[in-house]
Amino acid sequence: KKDKRDHKMPPGPWKLPIIGNLHQLVGSSSLPHHALTKLSQNHGPLMQVQLGEISAVIVSSPNMAREIMKAHDLAFSERPEFLPSKIIAYGSTNIAFAPYEEVANMIETIHISAGETINLSKMIHNLITTVVSRAVFGNLSQDHEQFVSFVKKSIALSDGFDLADLFPSFKPLHFITGMEAKLYEMHVKMDKILDKIIKEIEERKLEDNTQHEQQEKNENLVEVLLRVQHSDTLDTQITLNNVKAVILDMFFAGTDTSSVVVEWAMSELMRNPRAMKKAQAEIRHAWRGKQTIQEADVSELPYLKAVIKETMRLHPPLPLMLPRQAREDCTINGYHIPINTKVMINVYALGRDPDNWYDAESFLPERFEKNPMDFKGTNFEYIPFGAGRRMCPGLNFGLANVEFALAMLLYHFNWELPEGIKAEDLDMNEAQGATAGRKNPLHFIPTPYHLS
Ligand code: HEM
């Protein structure tokens, strides 16, 4: 027979009736991951909070993260809204992918505005969404811009702290906030665009009479998924809605996450001219005399890679990762975690913990130069792509985009701030939303670097 002591829940802050701890997290001046970081300093690395009707456990130390994502990986591998990753993984290994042309277009556009202040954030976001669109659809549809703007709005709406998420059984609230109506309206519009694009791709495929193997080599994600749908290589049947859901996953999980890394890297480098100079010197030395740059040329740039790692330590694009959920009752570190508890890993707190990192708040890419720590989710103090069986399947794709775009921006241009703004005053505020991007866009002045 189970003893009451076996059911001791993890410690946590004092709770108000009905709202639990929401007053400490939502609507306060700080963002949820900042507020949770502070609370966990008082209540420990495994902390229970009540988010409306939802009981959640917040994880803020490498040891507790290892317990959840390694020792008890299967028990916490549930994420009900997401499609089986095997479909995603099957698709993404097959995508023909080449960001080169898109990055070259961005560089050309920046050249045209040389000497003027440009909205760099917007350019980076356009670049990444174009690359993802090409990988998913093959080309840009007529509705590309509208589709991308719906995706952006949906990401901004869905930080998981909306009243409808927090009080799932209290339906009138969903109506009052209007969230469900807004999301539904966007869903209908996106669905229409997707129907149109999928139909066009199917028609193109019917007209295409190149060799079968050649066709497979150049497939985009939709073509891969449609092919898998019509074959019987998977033991589950894929429906058209599944195909659409995977497409949306790619846009929701693969666009803002990558573009904010490039934005934060440029922000940190502007505030740290020494690191900026070092990164540019490395690229300009490694690539000197090269007529065309290929994605593979990034492999010669260890300092650039360290800059990206350091950026993602301080600014993980998904600061609370994507929530997990306990599939069964579990005991972690002597505490009881009941089935269906939501588990959030505070990657933001892990990356800034002075117990794990020397001079934790400073931007020091050098710390990664001699450190073999990678993104593979084996060092639990550093897991910007997650870990275990629900780890990010887009790691290579996302990283390739980020590395190549950042390298080209640093190679081709020197960057200045608009008059009157000092590097140390550059604002570093984060926006609200599922992805921790910048609150205000970056406005910088590019000066072309003359390649010789
Ligand atoms: C710098 C870019 C990116 C970062 C930092 C990032 C980070 C993450 C993180 C932290 C998770 C949750 C992992 C976990 O629970 O252990 C995740 C999941 C996911 N990511 Fe990424 N991601 C990035 C780019 C991408 C790209 C480019 C794609 C696809 C095109 C993608 C697709 C996904 C999908 C589908 C999931 C859900 C996997 C599942 O539930 O099994 N991500 N990502």
Side-chain angles (χ1 to χ4, degrees):
K1 235 171 78 185
K2 284 212 168 173
D3 180 303
K4 241 198 151 183
R5 268 173 307 161
D6 292 343
H7 283 89
K8 191 170 72 161
M9 297 282 288
W14 186 75
K15 298 162 182 60
L16 286 172
I18 304 177
I19 63 170
N21 300 106
L22 282 180
H23 59 298
Q24 287 150 311
L25 301 182
V26 185
S28 67
S29 57
S30 60
L31 295 167
H33 55 281
H34 295 189
L36 289 169
T37 303
K38 269 215 189 96
L39 286 174
S40 66
Q41 282 157 4
N42 289 330
H43 299 281
L46 196 70
M47 169 177 77
Q48 195 261 336
V49 289
Q50 192 65 31
L51 308 174
E53 292 179 309
I54 309 286
S55 170
V57 165
I58 313 298
V59 175
S60 324
S61 80
N63 281 343
M64 289 306 111
R66 184 182 296 108
E67 279 292 302
I68 301 283
M69 291 188 288
K70 191 168 179 190
H72 296 85
D73 187 22
L74 184 59
F76 292 100
S77 64
E78 181 128 314
R79 191 143 53 214
E81 305 85 335
F82 275 102
L83 263 193
S85 351
K86 65 176 175 182
I87 298 178
I88 295 159
Y90 189 99
S92 47
T93 52
N94 284 269
I95 305 168
F97 153 68
Y100 180 77
E101 212 179 299
E102 274 65 62
V103 178
N105 285 342
M106 175 180 73
I107 297 296
E108 217 178 285
T109 315
I110 299 178
H111 266 293
I112 296 167
S113 316
E116 291 164 25
T117 305
I118 60 165
N119 183 339
L120 185 61
S121 300
K122 197 167 160 197
M123 289 198 170
I124 294 168
H125 189 258
N126 283 347
L127 167 75
I128 300 289
T129 50
T130 308
V131 172
V132 172
S133 278
R134 284 211 193 277
V136 175
F137 301 132
N139 58 11
L140 292 194
S141 77
Q142 282 174 336
D143 305 303
H144 171 74
E145 275 180 27
Q146 205 181 22
F147 184 70
V148 165
S149 91
F150 291 144
V151 170
K152 201 162 174 56
K153 278 187 202 146
S154 314
I155 294 176
L157 282 176
S158 47
D159 64 356
F161 288 93
D162 181 72
L163 289 178
D165 292 316
L166 304 168
F167 295 94
S169 71
F170 196 55
K171 300 286 181 214
L173 262 186
H174 309 188
F175 184 71
I176 294 165
T177 66
M179 166 72 97
E180 232 175 44
K182 274 187 236 160
L183 284 175
Y184 187 71
E185 193 191 323
M186 255 179 298
H187 165 78
V188 170
K189 287 182 177 160
M190 286 198 275
D191 191 58
K192 248 198 193 137
I193 298 179
L194 286 181
D195 273 335
K196 194 170 144 200
I197 296 176
I198 293 173
K199 198 162 153 240
E200 278 168 13
I201 292 177
E202 276 174 326
E203 284 169 3
R204 233 177 19 223
K205 191 132 191 149
L206 279 179
E207 286 166 16
D208 183 2
N209 29 16
T210 45
Q211 290 277 308
H212 190 65
E213 290 91 67
Q214 195 56 35
Q215 272 188 21
E216 276 199 19
K217 239 171 114 186
N218 296 322
E219 272 178 331
N220 56 53
L221 178 71
V222 174
E223 288 169 338
V224 174
L225 292 170
L226 292 175
R227 176 161 56 78
V228 178
Q229 190 191 16
H230 298 306
S231 69
D232 35 48
T233 42
L234 287 180
D235 41 11
T236 41
Q237 190 57 40
I238 309 182
T239 65
L240 184 61
N241 274 349
N242 292 154
V243 172
K244 289 177 184 170
V246 175
I247 296 173
L248 288 182
D249 275 356
M250 294 287 283
F251 278 89
F252 285 134
T255 52
D256 273 17
T257 44
S258 309
S259 66
V260 303
V261 179
V262 185
E263 262 191 300
W264 285 123
M266 285 300 288
S267 316
E268 288 290 0
L269 289 172
M270 285 306 268
R271 277 162 34 107
N272 295 277
R274 185 197 54 82
M276 171 71 99
K277 261 204 188 110
K278 194 167 164 182
Q280 285 179 316
E282 179 190 66
I283 302 171
R284 289 170 185 175
H285 178 76
W287 289 0
R288 74 191 179 288
K290 271 200 176 133
Q291 291 302 316
T292 40
I293 310 292
Q294 307 287 335
E295 284 112 66
D297 295 325
V298 171
S299 63
E300 305 162 27
L301 307 172
Y303 191 70
L304 180 93
K305 291 182 181 217
V307 164
I308 291 169
K309 280 188 180 164
E310 179 69 342
T311 302
M312 291 174 83
R313 177 183 72 82
L314 288 169
H315 309 278
L318 297 174
L320 294 173
M321 285 202 352
L322 298 176
R324 308 278 188 105
Q325 193 168 310
R327 289 153 48 105
E328 56 198 52
D329 284 0
C330 221
T331 302
I332 303 285
N333 208 29
Y335 293 110
H336 177 67
I337 316 259
I339 184 169
N340 292 336
T341 305
K342 199 167 178 174
V343 178
M344 298 191 212
I345 318 274
N346 192 344
V347 192
Y348 177 88
L350 293 175
R352 291 186 182 231
D353 188 342
D355 287 347
N356 305 330
W357 305 94
Y358 158 78
D359 201 359
E361 293 291 326
S362 299
F363 182 77
L364 299 170
E366 286 72 14
R367 72 173 88 237
F368 282 106
E369 274 189 309
K370 292 188 192 84
N371 184 335
M373 209 177 269
D374 59 22
F375 292 114
K376 295 193 185 120
T378 45
N379 305 97
F380 287 85
E381 50 275 73
Y382 189 66
I383 44 169
F385 288 94
R389 66 186 71 211
R390 297 315 292 257
M391 191 178 158
C392 177
L395 191 160
N396 290 334
F397 182 68
L399 216 48
N401 287 334
V402 167
E403 287 174 352
F404 194 57
L406 183 63
M408 293 287 271
L409 287 173
L410 299 179
Y411 180 54
H412 285 278
F413 303 99
N414 289 329
W415 295 92
E416 276 166 46
L417 286 160
E419 219 181 291
I421 303 182
K422 288 200 211 102
E424 58 272 26
D425 296 338
L426 182 68
D427 102 87
M428 297 293 272
N429 292 325
E430 294 163 45
Q432 193 103 33
T435 320
R438 287 183 56 84
K439 188 168 181 184
N440 302 307
L442 285 178
H443 286 106
F444 289 168
I445 305 169
T447 315
Y449 166 73
H450 293 289
L451 315 172
S452 51

